[in-house]
Amino acid sequence: MATQVQDEQETDPEDVTALDNARRQLERAAKLVDVDEGIVERLKHPTKVQRVAVPLKRDDGDVEVYTGYRSQHDDVRGPYKGGLRFHPDVTEDECVGLSMWMTWKCAVMDLPFGGAKGGIVVNPKDLSTDEKERLTRRFAEELRDFVGPKKDIPAPDMGTDAQTMAWFMDAYSMQEGETTPGVVTGKPPVIGGSYGREEAPGRSVAIIAREAIDYYDMDIEETTVAVQGFGSVGANAARLLDDYGANVVAVSDVNGAIYDPEGLDTHDVPTHEEEPEAVMKYDAQEKLSNEELLELDVDVLVPAAIGDVITTANAADIAADIVVEGANGPTTFAAAEILEDRGVAVIPDILANAGGVTVSYFEWLQDINRRAWSLERVYEELESSMLEAWGDVSEARDELDVTWRDAAYVVGLSRIAEAKESRGLWP
Ligand code: GLU
């Protein structure tokens, strides 16, 4: 009965918003850090949230108005930073919750950035390329006063990509009267984007999974992995883990999963970018649903598709020993507690997929210095940044004997709290 009540509560959409999860995680972590109450209170609220109307003339001449948001959570350590998503489920609360996670993510990686997130409530699949371009340019114009290389730097997220960032950067630059590559990251390299940015979140997921496998004294050659989502994050993580020697036995896209207990050739399965929604067309031993993939008896599970996929409804059935979060917020707060009780290690998103924003930082540096780095240098610096963050988080975990998420929060929150204490509250 108790479980049923919990399930009912959690299926209430209000109860599982990203903001709700983010606030509960913050409250939990704040108990572990010697941090002033007032600072925690301040961090529960975004500094500013912009809400804009984005009118679009459709190809048939009709005009539609979409709603866009930009939540700027905290900038005590540097300019606001975070993605822009185009998705029908975007809400203000979701942007605020995701912007909080960006604040922690940047602090865990020790980047000189704060956290932001934004988006438009739209299904990009319903728009032509020309419509997406007009929508992005108008959104850039509506946000122009609030963004900038020293203020707030957007990047790609769900439903947006390098081309979206190119349009955004062009619209901003045209209006400002100067080419400003550093206003966004995740651009194509030809206009100031960084090599390796596109694959960076997936790359960091693989690096962190490799370190977690080693931490638990497992042999990567003997490790089985299931990856939910075969877009940029999931496919890059799966392929790199495959290269490291792991046995990737299942991958999925929105239509379902393919499974081969002997291991899949991940380089042969087309990614979403190579051929959209092609995973189920691949000739594999078995086809499963996304739900079944999540419950596979594997060593490592990588949810790398959307948020809220591990909930109280399936947390008891997750059979993996280690969950490495590729997506932002794939595990709800209540589900994380169930996994904790069951002894499943959950390596949080704010560490695992932080390679994206880390290479965004490299891109921003390259833009400011007008000097590109080689792909080799990006990979080397990303590897050492990830290892450093992994070291900080595992040290906090061992010292405090807490979950991986709590340990990552302790690292991030301590840095933010110190910065806030040293700057003070004005006036
Ligand atoms: N959208 C990505 C994330 O959630 C990247 C953000 C960025 O590079 O600014 O981490």
Side-chain angles (χ1 to χ4, degrees), residues 293-379:
L293 175 141
L294 291 172
E295 294 171 14
L296 274 179
D297 189 5
V298 287
D299 299 308
V300 179
L301 172 66
V302 180
I306 52 169
D308 294 341
V309 294
I310 303 180
T311 65
T312 52
N314 62 1
D317 300 314
I318 301 296
D321 299 315
I322 306 173
V323 174
V324 181
E325 295 185 330
N328 288 317
T331 315
T332 66
F333 183 83
E337 291 191 328
I338 297 173
L339 294 178
E340 183 187 354
D341 289 345
R342 294 187 49 231
V344 179
V346 181
I347 319 290
D349 44 9
I350 56 169
L351 171 64
N353 72 24
V357 73
T358 303
V359 176
S360 276
Y361 169 57
F362 300 160
E363 180 170 331
W364 183 74
L365 290 176
Q366 293 169 68
D367 290 340
I368 289 171
N369 293 306
R370 293 288 200 269
R371 184 149 197 206
W373 298 6
S374 66
L375 180 61
E376 201 182 28
R377 174 161 178 205
V378 171
Y379 282 173

XYZ file of all heavy atoms in Angstrom, residues 293-379:
649
model
N 14.995 -2.768 -21.737
C 16.437 -2.459 -21.745
C 16.875 -1.958 -20.377
O 17.901 -2.367 -19.838
C 16.763 -1.412 -22.812
C 18.217 -0.934 -22.826
C 18.732 -0.742 -24.243
C 18.434 0.344 -22.030
N 16.048 -1.087 -19.778
C 16.422 -0.517 -18.471
C 16.542 -1.594 -17.394
O 17.290 -1.420 -16.438
C 15.387 0.530 -18.032
C 15.339 1.829 -18.839
C 14.141 2.666 -18.418
C 16.621 2.634 -18.681
N 15.801 -2.679 -17.566
C 15.792 -3.722 -16.529
C 16.702 -4.903 -16.859
O 16.707 -5.913 -16.154
C 14.341 -4.177 -16.295
C 13.513 -3.051 -15.705
C 12.025 -3.345 -15.645
O 11.627 -4.516 -15.804
O 11.239 -2.382 -15.432
N 17.501 -4.790 -17.914
C 18.411 -5.884 -18.292
C 19.422 -6.163 -17.189
O 19.891 -5.238 -16.521
C 19.188 -5.495 -19.553
C 18.555 -5.770 -20.918
C 19.500 -5.272 -22.008
C 18.250 -7.255 -21.111
N 19.785 -7.425 -17.062
C 20.771 -7.804 -16.049
C 22.183 -7.589 -16.618
O 22.833 -8.507 -17.101
C 20.558 -9.272 -15.656
C 21.414 -9.642 -14.459
O 22.082 -8.750 -13.903
O 21.423 -10.836 -14.106
N 22.608 -6.329 -16.593
C 23.943 -5.967 -17.092
C 24.756 -5.405 -15.929
O 24.206 -5.131 -14.864
C 23.847 -4.902 -18.215
C 23.325 -5.504 -19.502
C 23.001 -3.713 -17.779
N 26.058 -5.215 -16.160
C 26.874 -4.617 -15.100
C 26.653 -3.102 -15.044
O 26.554 -2.518 -13.976
C 28.357 -4.905 -15.353
C 28.637 -6.393 -15.359
O 28.232 -7.065 -14.388
O 29.238 -6.898 -16.333
N 26.609 -2.482 -16.230
C 26.503 -1.012 -16.281
C 25.320 -0.601 -17.156
O 25.192 -1.068 -18.287
C 27.806 -0.386 -16.854
C 27.695 1.131 -16.935
C 29.021 -0.786 -16.024
N 24.485 0.258 -16.626
C 23.364 0.806 -17.394
C 23.615 2.292 -17.610
O 23.921 3.020 -16.664
C 22.053 0.605 -16.609
C 20.814 1.296 -17.179
C 20.416 0.690 -18.523
C 19.643 1.186 -16.191
N 23.493 2.739 -18.873
C 23.694 4.154 -19.181
C 22.390 4.725 -19.743
O 22.099 4.564 -20.932
C 24.842 4.358 -20.211
C 25.040 5.840 -20.522
C 26.145 3.730 -19.726
N 21.548 5.376 -18.924
C 20.373 6.041 -19.487
C 20.824 7.357 -20.129
O 21.272 8.263 -19.438
C 19.476 6.286 -18.266
C 20.367 6.191 -17.064
C 21.649 5.549 -17.457
N 20.740 7.416 -21.454
C 21.287 8.584 -22.166
C 20.267 9.152 -23.142
O 20.624 9.625 -24.224
C 22.575 8.185 -22.893
N 18.985 9.069 -22.774
C 17.961 9.565 -23.698
C 17.276 10.814 -23.142
O 17.600 11.931 -23.541
C 16.954 8.463 -23.971
N 16.355 10.609 -22.212
C 15.589 11.729 -21.663
C 15.582 11.651 -20.139
O 16.096 10.692 -19.573
C 14.127 11.722 -22.190
C 13.499 10.331 -21.966
C 14.069 12.124 -23.640
C 12.008 10.280 -22.208
N 14.962 12.632 -19.492
C 14.877 12.642 -18.033
C 13.788 11.706 -17.518
O 12.936 11.232 -18.277
N 13.843 11.445 -16.197
C 12.784 10.710 -15.493
C 12.472 9.338 -16.075
O 11.304 8.956 -16.209
C 11.483 11.530 -15.482
C 11.630 12.805 -14.665
O 12.557 12.882 -13.841
O 10.808 13.728 -14.878
N 13.473 8.558 -16.435
C 13.187 7.209 -16.944
C 13.331 6.154 -15.847
O 12.766 5.071 -15.944
C 14.073 6.830 -18.161
C 13.741 7.701 -19.359
C 15.555 6.884 -17.838
N 14.097 6.462 -14.793
C 14.162 5.543 -13.651
C 13.340 6.195 -12.540
O 13.710 7.251 -12.006
C 15.615 5.276 -13.211
C 16.425 4.723 -14.398
C 15.645 4.288 -12.034
C 17.878 4.407 -14.089
N 12.185 5.587 -12.270
C 11.222 6.165 -11.329
C 10.898 5.105 -10.269
O 11.434 3.996 -10.327
C 9.921 6.548 -12.061
O 9.325 5.334 -12.540
C 10.182 7.471 -13.239
N 9.977 5.429 -9.365
C 9.595 4.429 -8.353
C 8.913 3.231 -9.022
O 8.833 2.162 -8.442
C 8.653 5.026 -7.295
O 7.575 5.667 -7.963
C 9.373 6.022 -6.415
N 8.433 3.407 -10.239
C 7.749 2.307 -10.935
C 8.727 1.206 -11.351
O 8.336 0.045 -11.459
C 7.006 2.841 -12.153
N 9.996 1.553 -11.627
C 10.923 0.497 -12.089
C 12.217 0.403 -11.282
O 13.053 -0.465 -11.547
C 11.241 0.673 -13.590
C 11.949 1.989 -13.894
O 12.221 2.785 -12.989
N 12.266 2.224 -15.151
N 12.413 1.282 -10.279
C 13.694 1.301 -9.558
C 14.009 -0.042 -8.898
O 15.170 -0.463 -8.855
C 13.706 2.414 -8.516
N 12.950 -0.740 -8.442
C 13.186 -2.031 -7.778
C 13.631 -3.089 -8.784
O 14.199 -4.110 -8.407
C 11.916 -2.480 -7.070
N 13.363 -2.842 -10.072
C 13.680 -3.849 -11.098
C 14.950 -3.550 -11.878
O 15.280 -4.260 -12.829
C 12.504 -3.961 -12.083
C 11.230 -4.368 -11.362
O 11.305 -5.307 -10.540
O 10.181 -3.730 -11.590
N 15.633 -2.460 -11.544
C 16.896 -2.159 -12.240
C 17.914 -3.210 -11.776
O 18.219 -3.316 -10.591
C 17.389 -0.722 -11.910
C 16.350 0.338 -12.315
C 18.761 -0.450 -12.533
C 16.047 0.451 -13.786
N 18.413 -3.998 -12.733
C 19.285 -5.120 -12.354
C 20.772 -4.787 -12.473
O 21.620 -5.574 -12.063
C 18.940 -6.333 -13.202
N 21.094 -3.625 -13.054
C 22.507 -3.248 -13.213
C 23.137 -2.953 -11.854
O 22.443 -2.585 -10.905
C 22.604 -2.014 -14.110
N 24.469 -3.128 -11.761
C 25.175 -2.794 -10.516
C 25.546 -1.310 -10.487
O 25.646 -0.711 -9.427
C 26.471 -3.612 -10.407
C 26.168 -5.097 -10.388
O 25.247 -5.485 -9.658
O 26.837 -5.850 -11.138
N 25.819 -0.768 -11.676
C 26.232 0.643 -11.768
C 25.346 1.335 -12.802
O 25.154 0.819 -13.908
C 27.707 0.761 -12.223
C 28.645 -0.061 -11.326
C 28.152 2.222 -12.284
C 30.094 -0.118 -11.827
N 24.816 2.501 -12.446
C 24.078 3.324 -13.405
C 24.929 4.568 -13.653
O 25.319 5.254 -12.700
C 22.689 3.733 -12.851
C 21.992 4.704 -13.808
C 21.819 2.513 -12.598
N 25.249 4.834 -14.909
C 26.019 6.044 -15.236
C 25.078 6.956 -16.019
O 24.653 6.610 -17.128
C 27.292 5.710 -16.054
C 28.085 6.979 -16.354
C 28.166 4.705 -15.313
N 24.725 8.100 -15.431
C 23.693 8.953 -16.026
C 24.235 9.772 -17.202
O 25.000 10.717 -17.018
C 23.123 9.893 -14.966
C 22.380 9.163 -13.849
C 21.699 10.101 -12.863
O 22.210 11.228 -12.666
O 20.667 9.708 -12.291
N 23.803 9.398 -18.409
C 24.213 10.134 -19.608
C 23.287 11.311 -19.873
O 23.723 12.401 -20.249
N 21.976 11.106 -19.668
C 21.008 12.196 -19.840
C 21.059 13.082 -18.604
O 21.673 12.720 -17.598
C 19.607 11.617 -19.997
N 20.420 14.232 -18.666
C 20.270 15.064 -17.474
C 19.021 14.617 -16.735
O 17.937 14.564 -17.312
C 20.143 16.543 -17.870
C 21.459 17.116 -18.358
O 22.523 16.881 -17.785
N 21.406 17.868 -19.456
N 19.174 14.272 -15.464
C 18.027 13.902 -14.627
C 17.295 12.646 -15.020
O 16.058 12.628 -14.961
N 17.967 11.543 -15.386
C 17.214 10.336 -15.746
C 16.634 9.600 -14.540
O 15.719 8.798 -14.697
C 18.266 9.458 -16.446
C 19.574 9.889 -15.886
C 19.424 11.359 -15.582
N 17.161 9.876 -13.321
C 16.692 9.164 -12.125
C 15.949 10.143 -11.224
O 16.520 11.168 -10.827
C 17.905 8.598 -11.334
O 18.812 7.991 -12.256
C 17.475 7.585 -10.293
N 14.702 9.836 -10.877
C 13.981 10.755 -9.989
C 14.552 10.642 -8.570
O 15.210 9.649 -8.239
C 12.465 10.454 -9.940
O 12.277 9.179 -9.335
C 11.836 10.483 -11.323
N 14.262 11.629 -7.762
C 14.788 11.668 -6.397
C 14.366 10.420 -5.620
O 15.179 9.756 -4.966
C 14.274 12.935 -5.699
C 14.811 13.117 -4.310
C 16.060 13.699 -4.109
C 14.080 12.699 -3.212
C 16.566 13.862 -2.826
C 14.575 12.853 -1.923
C 15.823 13.443 -1.734
N 13.064 10.075 -5.739
C 12.549 8.911 -4.991
C 13.169 7.615 -5.506
O 13.495 6.717 -4.730
C 11.028 8.860 -5.098
N 13.356 7.518 -6.819
C 13.969 6.309 -7.388
C 15.421 6.184 -6.931
O 15.896 5.076 -6.648
C 13.899 6.355 -8.911
N 16.112 7.304 -6.827
C 17.515 7.274 -6.399
C 17.626 6.700 -4.992
O 18.569 5.952 -4.692
C 18.112 8.680 -6.461
N 16.649 7.013 -4.137
C 16.691 6.474 -2.767
C 16.477 4.958 -2.768
O 17.104 4.235 -1.990
C 15.652 7.187 -1.891
C 16.065 8.633 -1.651
C 15.246 9.351 -0.587
O 14.048 9.025 -0.445
O 15.813 10.242 0.082
N 15.606 4.485 -3.667
C 15.390 3.032 -3.766
C 16.679 2.351 -4.239
O 17.115 1.341 -3.689
C 14.214 2.715 -4.723
C 12.910 3.296 -4.155
C 14.095 1.208 -4.972
C 11.716 3.198 -5.087
N 17.315 2.939 -5.252
C 18.562 2.355 -5.773
C 19.643 2.361 -4.693
O 20.418 1.409 -4.571
C 19.038 3.118 -7.019
C 18.137 3.019 -8.258
C 18.698 3.870 -9.398
C 17.989 1.575 -8.728
N 19.666 3.441 -3.918
C 20.656 3.536 -2.832
C 20.453 2.387 -1.839
O 21.393 1.690 -1.470
C 20.516 4.894 -2.127
C 21.534 5.115 -1.032
C 21.267 6.384 -0.226
O 20.352 7.156 -0.590
O 21.975 6.586 0.770
N 19.191 2.182 -1.429
C 18.880 1.094 -0.486
C 19.265 -0.263 -1.057
O 19.646 -1.166 -0.326
C 17.374 1.074 -0.152
C 16.975 2.265 0.711
O 17.882 2.912 1.264
O 15.761 2.558 0.795
N 19.134 -0.392 -2.374
C 19.447 -1.680 -3.016
C 20.934 -1.827 -3.331
O 21.363 -2.824 -3.897
C 18.621 -1.820 -4.300
C 17.114 -1.929 -4.037
C 16.358 -2.241 -5.328
N 16.981 -3.338 -6.032
C 17.326 -3.304 -7.321
N 17.080 -2.253 -8.055
N 17.910 -4.345 -7.888
N 21.711 -0.800 -3.021
C 23.158 -0.879 -3.228
C 23.600 -0.687 -4.674
O 24.704 -1.080 -5.056
N 22.722 -0.088 -5.502
C 23.114 0.195 -6.890
C 23.870 1.530 -6.899
O 23.389 2.526 -6.357
C 21.866 0.291 -7.811
C 22.280 0.615 -9.242
C 21.045 -0.988 -7.745
N 25.046 1.544 -7.492
C 25.833 2.793 -7.551
C 25.308 3.643 -8.694
O 25.210 3.175 -9.830
C 27.299 2.458 -7.782
N 24.930 4.887 -8.399
C 24.451 5.792 -9.460
C 25.462 6.930 -9.607
O 25.614 7.761 -8.719
C 23.051 6.361 -9.133
C 22.575 7.277 -10.267
C 22.052 5.239 -8.900
N 26.157 6.936 -10.745
C 27.128 8.016 -10.990
C 26.347 9.147 -11.646
O 25.779 8.966 -12.729
C 28.288 7.553 -11.906
C 28.762 6.138 -11.553
C 29.419 8.572 -11.886
C 29.488 5.970 -10.256
N 26.285 10.324 -10.991
C 25.331 11.340 -11.436
C 25.719 12.052 -12.734
O 26.898 12.189 -13.058
C 25.328 12.327 -10.264
C 26.690 12.228 -9.681
C 27.081 10.782 -9.837
N 24.660 12.524 -13.411
C 24.775 13.344 -14.618
C 25.755 14.512 -14.472
O 26.537 14.792 -15.378
C 23.375 13.883 -14.996
C 22.581 14.418 -13.794
O 23.156 14.533 -12.687
O 21.379 14.726 -13.957
N 25.724 15.185 -13.313
C 26.542 16.400 -13.167
C 28.044 16.099 -13.188
O 28.852 17.001 -13.323
C 26.175 17.235 -11.906
C 26.281 16.395 -10.629
C 24.788 17.844 -12.056
C 26.183 17.230 -9.359
N 28.382 14.826 -13.081
C 29.767 14.422 -13.287
C 29.901 13.700 -14.632
O 30.739 14.061 -15.467
C 30.213 13.492 -12.145
C 31.567 12.790 -12.313
C 32.703 13.818 -12.349
C 31.813 11.800 -11.178
N 29.042 12.695 -14.859
C 29.236 11.804 -16.007
C 29.138 12.502 -17.363
O 29.963 12.267 -18.238
C 28.235 10.652 -15.930
N 28.123 13.371 -17.551
C 28.003 13.965 -18.888
C 28.621 15.364 -18.953
O 28.433 16.090 -19.926
C 26.534 13.953 -19.374
C 25.651 14.959 -18.650
O 26.120 15.964 -18.109
N 24.349 14.708 -18.655
N 29.397 15.719 -17.935
C 29.967 17.074 -17.861
C 31.056 17.347 -18.895
O 31.545 18.475 -19.005
C 30.517 17.331 -16.456
N 31.412 16.337 -19.689
C 32.381 16.559 -20.768
C 31.859 17.588 -21.766
O 32.640 18.322 -22.380
N 30.528 17.653 -21.922
C 29.942 18.607 -22.869
C 30.279 20.034 -22.494
O 30.853 20.793 -23.275
N 29.951 20.391 -21.281
C 30.201 21.781 -20.874
C 31.709 22.028 -20.687
O 32.178 23.156 -20.859
C 29.369 22.169 -19.624
C 29.891 21.528 -18.354
C 29.316 23.680 -19.475
N 32.460 20.983 -20.416
C 33.914 21.163 -20.277
C 34.528 21.539 -21.622
O 35.333 22.477 -21.715
C 34.555 19.880 -19.696
O 33.921 19.611 -18.448
C 36.038 20.038 -19.493
N 34.110 20.828 -22.684
C 34.642 21.208 -24.002
C 34.022 22.536 -24.459
O 34.651 23.304 -25.187
C 34.500 20.063 -25.030
C 34.970 20.510 -26.410
C 35.318 18.853 -24.575
N 32.822 22.855 -23.965
C 32.268 24.197 -24.219
C 33.202 25.258 -23.637
O 33.420 26.314 -24.236
C 30.893 24.351 -23.571
O 29.884 23.830 -24.404
N 33.724 24.981 -22.453
C 34.668 25.917 -21.835
C 35.925 26.035 -22.702
O 36.401 27.153 -22.966
C 35.016 25.436 -20.421
C 36.175 26.160 -19.775
C 36.161 27.554 -19.618
C 37.299 25.455 -19.335
C 37.231 28.208 -19.032
C 38.367 26.119 -18.741
C 38.334 27.496 -18.598
O 39.392 28.146 -18.033
N 36.414 24.897 -23.208
C 37.586 24.947 -24.098
C 37.255 25.789 -25.338
O 38.079 26.562 -25.818
C 38.014 23.540 -24.549
C 38.402 22.591 -23.430
C 38.413 21.215 -23.635
C 38.769 23.060 -22.167
C 38.771 20.327 -22.622
C 39.124 22.183 -21.136
C 39.124 20.816 -21.367
N 36.024 25.604 -25.841
C 35.606 26.360 -27.039
C 35.587 27.860 -26.754
O 36.048 28.672 -27.559
C 34.222 25.877 -27.493
C 33.695 26.606 -28.722
C 32.433 25.967 -29.301
O 32.244 24.740 -29.156
O 31.639 26.708 -29.908
N 35.065 28.214 -25.617
C 34.961 29.628 -25.203
C 36.378 30.231 -25.099
O 36.627 31.347 -25.553
C 34.224 29.654 -23.873
C 33.921 30.961 -23.245
C 32.970 31.861 -23.633
C 34.522 31.488 -22.059
N 32.943 32.913 -22.754
C 33.887 32.713 -21.780
C 35.533 31.047 -21.197
C 34.233 33.514 -20.681
C 35.870 31.830 -20.100
C 35.229 33.047 -19.865
N 37.312 29.458 -24.542
C 38.696 29.934 -24.458
C 39.288 30.135 -25.859
O 39.965 31.137 -26.130
C 39.580 28.921 -23.709
C 39.352 28.746 -22.212
C 40.251 27.636 -21.671
C 39.626 30.047 -21.466
N 39.003 29.175 -26.742
C 39.522 29.281 -28.110
C 38.937 30.508 -28.812
O 39.621 31.197 -29.568
C 39.186 28.010 -28.901
C 39.902 26.767 -28.399
C 39.351 25.482 -29.027
O 39.514 25.247 -30.221
N 38.706 24.653 -28.225
N 37.643 30.787 -28.557
C 36.986 31.942 -29.187
C 37.592 33.253 -28.687
O 37.841 34.173 -29.461
C 35.481 31.919 -28.887
C 34.767 30.793 -29.621
O 35.327 30.291 -30.616
O 33.653 30.418 -29.199
N 37.824 33.317 -27.366
C 38.370 34.542 -26.793
C 39.786 34.785 -27.326
O 40.164 35.901 -27.662
C 38.387 34.449 -25.250
C 36.952 34.533 -24.724
C 39.251 35.550 -24.629
C 36.825 34.230 -23.246
N 40.556 33.707 -27.413
C 41.950 33.826 -27.869
C 42.101 33.789 -29.383
O 43.204 33.946 -29.893
C 42.797 32.712 -27.249
C 42.921 32.897 -25.754
O 43.331 33.956 -25.294
N 42.533 31.894 -24.987
N 40.963 33.539 -30.091
C 41.000 33.423 -31.558
C 42.078 32.431 -31.991
O 42.860 32.677 -32.894
C 41.281 34.790 -32.211
C 40.178 35.808 -32.046
C 38.973 35.435 -32.926
N 38.088 36.546 -33.185
C 37.023 36.862 -32.426
N 36.738 36.164 -31.362
N 36.246 37.869 -32.780
N 42.127 31.299 -31.301
C 43.132 30.292 -31.612
C 42.555 28.897 -31.374
O 42.157 28.581 -30.260
C 44.342 30.529 -30.720
C 45.447 29.596 -31.035
C 46.785 30.189 -30.793
N 47.754 29.377 -31.494
C 48.998 29.281 -31.130
N 49.437 29.975 -30.113
N 49.835 28.516 -31.800
N 42.493 28.106 -32.457
C 41.875 26.772 -32.349
C 42.831 25.744 -31.770
O 44.039 25.815 -31.982
C 41.404 26.322 -33.732
N 42.268 24.798 -31.028
C 43.052 23.677 -30.505
C 42.867 22.476 -31.439
O 41.819 22.331 -32.061
C 42.548 23.244 -29.124
C 42.628 24.228 -28.023
C 43.000 25.548 -28.096
C 42.294 23.974 -26.647
N 42.927 26.125 -26.847
C 42.497 25.177 -25.939
C 41.855 22.862 -25.954
C 42.273 25.290 -24.581
C 41.631 22.962 -24.593
C 41.844 24.161 -23.913
N 43.868 21.597 -31.441
C 43.732 20.357 -32.216
C 42.780 19.412 -31.476
O 42.588 19.542 -30.261
C 45.088 19.679 -32.376
O 45.539 19.255 -31.100
N 42.219 18.451 -32.217
C 41.334 17.458 -31.597
C 42.099 16.688 -30.519
O 41.568 16.389 -29.444
C 40.813 16.491 -32.668
C 39.865 15.390 -32.186
C 38.600 15.964 -31.579
C 39.502 14.442 -33.332
N 43.363 16.422 -30.818
C 44.199 15.682 -29.856
C 44.304 16.440 -28.529
O 44.163 15.864 -27.454
C 45.583 15.538 -30.479
C 46.388 14.437 -29.895
C 47.764 14.396 -30.552
O 48.266 15.451 -31.016
O 48.336 13.303 -30.572
N 44.504 17.751 -28.620
C 44.619 18.548 -27.392
C 43.299 18.545 -26.616
O 43.293 18.438 -25.392
C 45.040 19.987 -27.746
C 45.023 20.877 -26.544
C 45.824 22.140 -26.676
N 45.687 22.936 -25.469
C 45.853 24.246 -25.414
N 46.191 24.918 -26.509
N 45.704 24.891 -24.285
N 42.165 18.673 -27.361
C 40.852 18.654 -26.697
C 40.674 17.330 -25.948
O 40.296 17.320 -24.765
C 39.710 18.858 -27.729
C 38.339 18.608 -27.089
C 39.765 20.264 -28.321
N 40.993 16.225 -26.606
C 40.837 14.911 -25.967
C 41.718 14.788 -24.726
O 41.288 14.292 -23.688
C 41.184 13.786 -26.945
C 40.101 13.458 -27.954
C 40.338 12.568 -28.996
C 38.832 14.029 -27.868
C 39.350 12.262 -29.923
C 37.854 13.733 -28.789
C 38.121 12.846 -29.822
O 37.137 12.541 -30.734
